[in-house]
Amino acid sequence: MIETKTGVKTLGGFLRLIEIDADEAVRHANTFDRIRAGDLQAVIVNGVYSPAALTPVVSQLERNEPAFLQTWFPEKFRSWFYGRNLNLAEPSLTGYFDEAAQFERQLATLFPAGEDIAARVAGVLASLDHGRPFVAAPGPRPGQRYMFTTLRAHQEGGYIPAHFDNEQALRPSYAHLRSQVDLHMLSFVLTLQMAESGGALQIYDHRCDPADAVPISLDGAPKPQLEGLAAVSLRIPPGAMIVLDSGRFLHRVSPVEGKRKRWTACSFMALSRQRDAMYCWG
């Protein structure tokens, strides 16, 4: 690791990131500018929530209170969502926006008053982008909104294979959203509970410009050779989140080890075509 006087750390010889506390976010208002320009690839934000505040949250998630919609990754990934991931939604999105409205109401009850995840996380992210609003992407009809985030549980052996997030724009379920956002997609991952071991976010020194995205995550699609690629492995502690240039950089989640689930909230983000907001979806 190389750390400069500006606080930028270079990991693995290629990944440039900064690490800050949530209450310092407003002092780093150009962070998203730097990510978009390629000067940074990631920022780790500590203290979005205190670990103690997350203990009852995870307990509720384990019991599935308040009865969230539960959907599934492909079976071999040994993982599921609360909410509906847009990548895995039906192309027609039939029923999706009704589900999104219900999920939003339920999600607001999961955290203490004033600390609901959409408001808290969006506020921190906006501080890193000159106050630009981070909001759930609007749907095709007035009043409709995509799910701001989804909650993810990875059980023992659970993983996500290597992919670029820019691949999403190629999926049929993105037909409407594609017309609303810039091609360059980013993401955040907020840790609610770490696995006992494994479950790391692994980022590879392999890049793809937004316009060049191809669906490498589909079965039968050509895959990049991971062997020999420089890589960085990060385990983000509870209450912290990482914002990653996940559209440009190949990444995966390594298999979870142990009985304790890896619980996270994850959203994808892109500039609105008008550049007046960052649109988010789960």
Side-chain angles (χ1 to χ4, degrees):
M1 178 182 72
I2 300 172
E3 186 165 358
T4 69
K5 291 181 179 179
T6 61
V8 177
K9 302 175 183 178
T10 301
L11 307 181
F14 72 95
L15 189 77
R16 289 170 54 83
L17 63 80
I18 59 172
E19 186 168 358
I20 64 172
D21 291 330
D23 59 7
E24 298 175 344
V26 71
R27 290 159 49 189
H28 299 270
N30 67 342
T31 296
F32 274 89
D33 291 340
R34 297 174 70 186
I35 292 174
R36 294 181 188 114
D39 177 51
L40 289 177
Q41 284 77 54
V43 54
I44 295 173
V45 184
N46 295 305
V48 179
Y49 290 100
S50 71
L54 293 178
T55 299
V57 170
V58 171
S59 180
Q60 286 181 265
L61 294 177
E62 292 283 356
R63 300 191 303 271
N64 192 10
E65 297 176 0
F68 286 118
L69 169 71
Q70 186 173 11
T71 58
W72 300 87
F73 281 88
E75 184 177 359
K76 62 184 179 181
F77 296 166
R78 295 184 54 78
S79 308
W80 71 83
F81 301 91
Y82 288 150
R84 187 176 300 281
N85 180 261
L86 189 58
N87 291 319
L88 302 175
E90 289 295 323
S92 66
L93 297 183
T94 301
Y96 171 89
F97 293 103
D98 290 336
E99 293 173 342
Q102 174 71 4
F103 185 68
E104 180 180 2
R105 290 191 293 269
Q106 292 175 317
L107 195 61
T109 71
L110 188 61
F111 291 82
E115 290 292 309
D116 66 279
I117 194 168
R120 173 62 175 158
V121 171
V124 172
L125 294 172
S127 294
L128 297 172
D129 200 15
H130 306 286
R132 194 193 314 263
F134 282 66
V135 297
R141 295 181 180 175
Q144 291 181 332
R145 292 192 290 189
Y146 288 85
M147 295 183 190
F148 176 82
T149 192
T150 54
L151 307 177
R152 301 178 174 201
H154 298 272
Q155 55 192 340
E156 188 170 19
Y159 73 101
I160 301 176
H163 63 286
F164 298 102
D165 284 344
N166 287 332
E167 295 178 53
Q168 298 173 88
L170 305 173
R171 294 190 170 92
S173 55
Y174 275 71
H176 168 261
L177 187 59
R178 213 167 31 235
S179 69
Q180 306 299 307
V181 297
D182 187 75
L183 281 175
H184 184 195
M185 296 179 184
L186 314 174
S187 65
F188 77 75
V189 180
L190 170 70
T191 300
L192 306 176
Q193 176 176 272
M194 297 174 71
E196 293 168 23
S197 186
L201 176 61
Q202 294 184 321
I203 307 157
Y204 294 90
D205 188 12
H206 187 69
R207 312 175 195 209
C208 176
D209 287 333
D212 297 331
V214 294
I216 65 169
S217 59
L218 297 181
D219 288 342
K223 304 291 192 290
Q225 295 299 312
L226 302 184
E227 186 176 350
L229 287 177
V232 171
S233 185
L234 299 171
R235 299 185 78 228
I236 308 301
M241 74 173 171
I242 184 169
V243 177
L244 177 66
D245 192 354
S246 53
R248 286 186 177 138
F249 279 78
L250 188 70
H251 60 285
R252 71 169 191 145
V253 174
S254 68
V256 164
E257 300 172 16
K259 299 298 183 183
R260 191 170 66 217
K261 296 183 187 71
R262 177 188 190 262
W263 281 105
T264 60
C266 181
S267 294
F268 309 101
M269 307 173 283
L271 274 170
S272 67
R273 289 292 176 93
Q274 294 75 27
R275 305 183 74 83
D276 58 351
M278 281 287 278
Y279 286 163
C280 305
W281 63 93

